[in-house]
Amino acid sequence: MNRSILVVYRPAAGRYAAQLRSVVAAAAELGVTAVALIPTGQPAAEVAGLPCYRADLDDPEAVRSVVAEIVAAHPVERIFPLFEGDVLTAARCRRDHGIPGLDPEQALTFRDKNVMHRRATELGVPVARSCRPDTVGAVAEFAAEVGYPVVVKPYAGWACGDTHRVDSAEDLDRVWPLVADARHDYRVEEYVRGVEYHVDSLLRDGEVVFEQLSRYTYSILEFRDEPGGTVSRKHDLTPAERRILAANGTVLRGFGMRTGVAHVEFFLRDDGEVVFGEAAARAGGGSIVPAIQAGRGINLAGEWCRLELDSGHVPAATLGPEIGTEYLCSDRYGRITAITTAEELRALDSVLDADVWKSVGDVLAPPTASNDVLGWYVCEGRDFDDVRARFKTVRDSFQVRTAPVDVAPAGAADLAGTDTPGSAGPA
């Protein structure tokens, strides 16, 4: 039988379609057939022509049952989960069928923030102080020890969903009822003050074969209020930035990744201390993959596939200028009556790529996570400050017009229509 891989794909607002195409194309180049596993009841034109199976991807046992059917019909050599929430289930499926890749023990280290912070500490990498929110009193005591603000977050969350910055005792009174019933799903961390970075890496046989350090232009937790993005750091790295790259390698090897792709976040305190934030065993979210493709000439998802299937593959990354990317957002809500297109954004000076996920007729409501956005763009510049200045030019060119809606969507606040520019936000 032909060689096969399994790609777990969620067709969510265009975020993973390009990754899916890259994995499928890379496998095809190597004579390997891609099999798709997608959510029950969701259309997915992107998988047309592929052997395709469906399951409730939020039910691990249902997924394992369907994967057993897939493995019986196809000689699956590797499993590629593109979405954060599928990493652990994919690992269990690998264990079920003896398929190489992250096993559940390793996957938990990349998914469970309690586990990953404990493991980072064992590896000698500093982490934020934390506590379990067993009672509101425990959180208050912790805040008294480390100082407000503190951060209350799901231990297995992503994209800042259900994450709360607590700035005072009064703010804790507001937040506690939101998390109290599910407190065992949360952890509390000190708010680390400093510059935030992320490193996007590819590994083969336990060695880093590609890495891209990037610096955020904003605090990720301020995604509702603070436009910003992320800019690559390829040239003239500082000693502290080199320490971040060294810590990244320590974390990835210590977490048990042999061959794969990873997105890891760090803080650099004002005193120069590097603090580990979080790690994910997947390609970076949002527009990080297209930004790296525009700036380095490789697609992280496709390269992950090649590294898994071809033991001799070496990513042929270029260096080029610094690259930045931002999400496209709007701070006013309602039904869209006009919106700048991706083609219009690509026509702007220094813009290399763009995608707009929303269109006329869609309803904009307040964001609930850092990736709850309208699209993204990628631009180039000489250095960090130059790219950040170009962000404002593109941001000012992105226009969204809205009108009031008669019935607000569930969970949406005041959806008054506006006629103001949109904005760009976190990546």
Side-chain angles (χ1 to χ4, degrees):
M1 291 191 291
N2 293 330
R3 300 170 65 194
S4 300
I5 61 169
L6 173 61
V7 186
V8 185
Y9 171 63
R10 297 186 185 230
R15 290 175 175 86
Y16 308 106
Q19 293 189 34
L20 171 73
R21 289 193 294 269
S22 296
V23 170
V24 171
E29 290 171 8
L30 297 169
V32 179
T33 299
V35 179
L37 177 59
I38 65 174
T40 300
Q42 289 192 24
E46 302 90 341
V47 300
L50 301 179
C52 185
Y53 294 76
R54 295 178 181 271
D56 178 355
L57 298 186
D58 295 319
D59 181 344
E61 294 310 310
V63 172
R64 293 169 75 178
S65 177
V66 173
V67 169
E69 297 177 18
I70 295 170
V71 171
H74 305 273
V76 174
E77 298 182 9
R78 297 291 190 279
I79 300 177
F80 295 89
L82 304 182
F83 172 62
E84 177 82 10
D86 297 321
V87 168
L88 181 55
T89 302
R92 290 170 175 157
C93 292
R94 293 189 190 101
R95 181 178 62 187
D96 290 343
H97 304 286
I99 296 171
L102 285 183
D103 64 26
E105 179 72 20
Q106 296 159 344
L108 271 171
T109 310
F110 284 94
R111 283 291 297 124
D112 185 320
K113 295 175 180 59
N114 297 319
V115 177
M116 71 175 67
H117 276 232
R118 174 63 187 183
R119 183 62 183 134
T121 299
E122 293 173 350
L123 295 168
V125 179
V127 301
R129 289 172 289 179
S130 65
C131 80
R132 288 175 38 172
D134 292 328
T135 66
V136 67
V139 181
E141 289 177 7
F142 177 74
E145 176 188 347
V146 303
Y148 285 105
V150 296
V151 181
V152 182
K153 61 170 66 174
Y155 71 81
W158 57 83
C160 295
D162 295 323
T163 296
H164 308 272
R165 170 174 160 162
V166 180
D167 291 298
S168 64
E170 293 74 23
D171 207 17
L172 178 57
D173 291 338
R174 175 189 63 83
V175 169
W176 183 251
L178 303 177
V179 304
D181 288 351
R183 69 190 69 182
H184 295 302
D185 295 333
Y186 286 83
R187 59 186 269 116
V188 183
E189 295 179 8
E190 67 172 315
Y191 185 87
V192 180
R193 299 186 184 279
V195 180
E196 297 180 48
Y197 288 84
H198 61 91
V199 187
D200 296 276
S201 309
L202 292 164
L203 281 81
R204 183 184 62 207
D205 296 330
E207 296 299 323
V208 177
V209 295
F210 170 84
E211 59 187 2
Q212 173 64 68
L213 176 68
S214 300
R215 176 180 167 184
Y216 288 109
T217 63
Y218 69 109
S219 169
I220 300 175
L221 286 176
E222 307 307 319
F223 65 87
R224 292 181 178 86
D225 310 309
E226 188 178 341
T230 177
V231 180
S232 66
R233 291 288 296 122
K234 306 175 188 176
H235 307 286
D236 302 320
L237 269 61
T238 67
E241 289 172 332
R242 295 188 185 280
R243 291 200 302 275
I244 292 173
L245 291 176
N248 179 68
T250 298
V251 164
L252 293 180
R253 287 186 291 270
F255 282 16
M257 180 171 282
R258 296 291 300 164
T259 299
V261 63
H263 174 80
V264 186
E265 298 189 343
F266 293 92
F267 298 88
L268 179 61
R269 294 189 193 265
D270 293 340
D271 64 3
E273 182 184 39
V274 173
V275 178
F276 169 72
E278 300 178 3
R282 56 164 173 80
S287 52
I288 289 174
V289 170
I292 289 177
Q293 185 155 1
R296 304 298 301 271
I298 63 170
N299 181 281
L300 289 176
E303 291 299 294
W304 175 24
C305 181
R306 292 182 181 92
L307 288 168
E308 292 276 15
L309 299 177
D310 179 1
S311 61
H313 179 70
V314 177
T318 57
L319 194 59
E322 300 293 6
I323 301 295
T325 182
E326 284 191 317
Y327 277 150
L328 296 165
C329 306
S330 176
D331 57 4
R332 305 291 183 175
Y333 311 113
R335 192 174 304 280
I336 298 175
T337 59
I339 186 169
T340 303
T341 66
E343 291 74 17
E344 291 169 328
L345 290 173
R346 293 189 198 109
L348 298 174
D349 180 52
S350 83
V351 174
L352 303 178
D353 199 2
D355 197 7
V356 178
W357 296 332
K358 299 294 185 180
S359 57
V360 171
D362 289 339
V363 174
L364 299 184
T368 60
S370 64
N371 62 0
D372 191 359
V373 296
L374 285 71
W376 51 266
Y377 71 91
V378 176
C379 68
E380 65 177 342
R382 296 184 304 275
D383 53 29
F384 180 87
D385 291 330
D386 182 45
V387 174
R388 187 165 56 177
R390 293 171 188 267
F391 280 172
K392 185 179 187 306
T393 300
V394 180
R395 189 185 307 139
D396 290 345
S397 300
F398 180 63
Q399 302 287 320
V400 180
R401 294 185 175 89
T402 62
V405 294
D406 294 333
V407 180
D414 180 20
L415 295 187
T418 71
D419 197 34
T420 59
S423 63

